[in-house]
Amino acid sequence: MEYEIVPLPKEKWKGTPVPIRYTTEEYFDLEAGEETDAFHFMLRKKQFDQPVTHTPEEYDFPDKLYQDHWEGAEAFGILQNENGKESLLACIEVCPEDWSNRLMVTELWVADSLHRKGIGTRLMNLAKEKAKSENRRAVILETQSCNVRAIAFYRSQGFRLIGFDTCCYTNRDIERHEIRFNFGYFFDRSVSD
């Protein structure tokens, strides 16, 4: 079955929850050290003692389309129409970061029933094509150090780790094994090689 990706107009989809949830058995652990003239970091994949599930309900800032702080955002998705009501099966939201000439992926979600059908790749390709047509130098996004499946997907799409934030979500992100990872896809390959 071919799934059509369509624009999701802001006036209709603003505030629509993006039900990002995942269960993971692994995380990337941050090992850090500091000297007078050096900082050392190692991110090593480790196993949780038991699987951990993250759901939108545990956060004060659940994912939604067209949040006010993403000025200029655009969203695209795959819809299902049941009894005259449209619902999301997958979506991507992108927002220009004009000051740095990058395009940020602010949301990416694919329903479990559509995993492994190439939908995520198609949505990511849409973001890359949009960034390229706007002559942006990169596509950037964030995920969590424990969202190992998402990290593997982004790496398979040519994204590289460009940074991390150890207190983005709480002041205990390191202990919770959920630090923010920033990834980038560069059109000028010499920038990241």
Side-chain angles (χ1 to χ4, degrees), residues 87-191:
S87 60
L88 282 177
L89 291 177
C91 67
I92 189 167
E93 182 182 74
V94 295
C95 187
E97 190 179 77
D98 290 330
W99 69 271
S100 68
N101 195 29
R102 302 182 298 184
L103 185 69
M104 179 179 289
V105 174
T106 57
E107 300 292 350
L108 178 63
W109 170 76
V110 177
D112 290 345
S113 62
L114 295 184
H115 283 191
R116 304 248 180 245
K117 296 183 186 298
I119 303 295
T121 297
R122 288 178 54 208
L123 291 168
M124 194 58 73
N125 285 343
L126 185 150
K128 291 175 186 176
E129 290 165 14
K130 182 166 184 47
K132 195 169 187 177
S133 73
E134 295 175 358
N135 204 29
R136 304 249 176 228
R137 65 185 177 91
V139 178
I140 59 172
L141 55 84
E142 73 168 83
T143 193
Q144 297 74 40
S145 59
C146 57
N147 197 345
V148 175
R149 186 174 70 187
I151 292 167
F153 171 72
Y154 298 138
R155 293 177 78 187
S156 77
Q157 296 298 305
F159 283 78
R160 296 180 180 201
L161 184 67
I162 58 173
F164 57 88
D165 183 337
T166 62
C167 62
C168 181
Y169 310 114
T170 72
N171 288 344
R172 297 183 51 250
D173 290 352
I174 293 173
E175 297 87 45
R176 295 178 68 235
H177 308 299
E178 188 182 15
I179 63 175
R180 174 179 164 166
F181 275 9
N182 298 309
F183 281 87
Y185 177 90
F186 300 94
F187 293 102
D188 177 4
R189 299 311 294 180
S190 64
V191 171

Side-chain angles (χ1 to χ4, degrees), residues 59-77:
Y59 297 103
D60 294 335
F61 47 93
D63 292 274
K64 296 178 183 175
L65 292 179
Y66 294 111
Q67 294 187 53
D68 290 337
H69 57 274
W70 298 125
E71 292 181 26
E74 291 181 79
F76 304 87

Side-chain angles (χ1 to χ4, degrees), residues 1-19:
M1 174 180 210
E2 182 65 28
Y3 295 95
E4 181 184 10
I5 297 173
V6 298
L8 302 174
K10 182 176 184 176
E11 54 276 1
K12 181 175 182 179
W13 293 94
K14 180 177 174 52
T16 300
V18 181

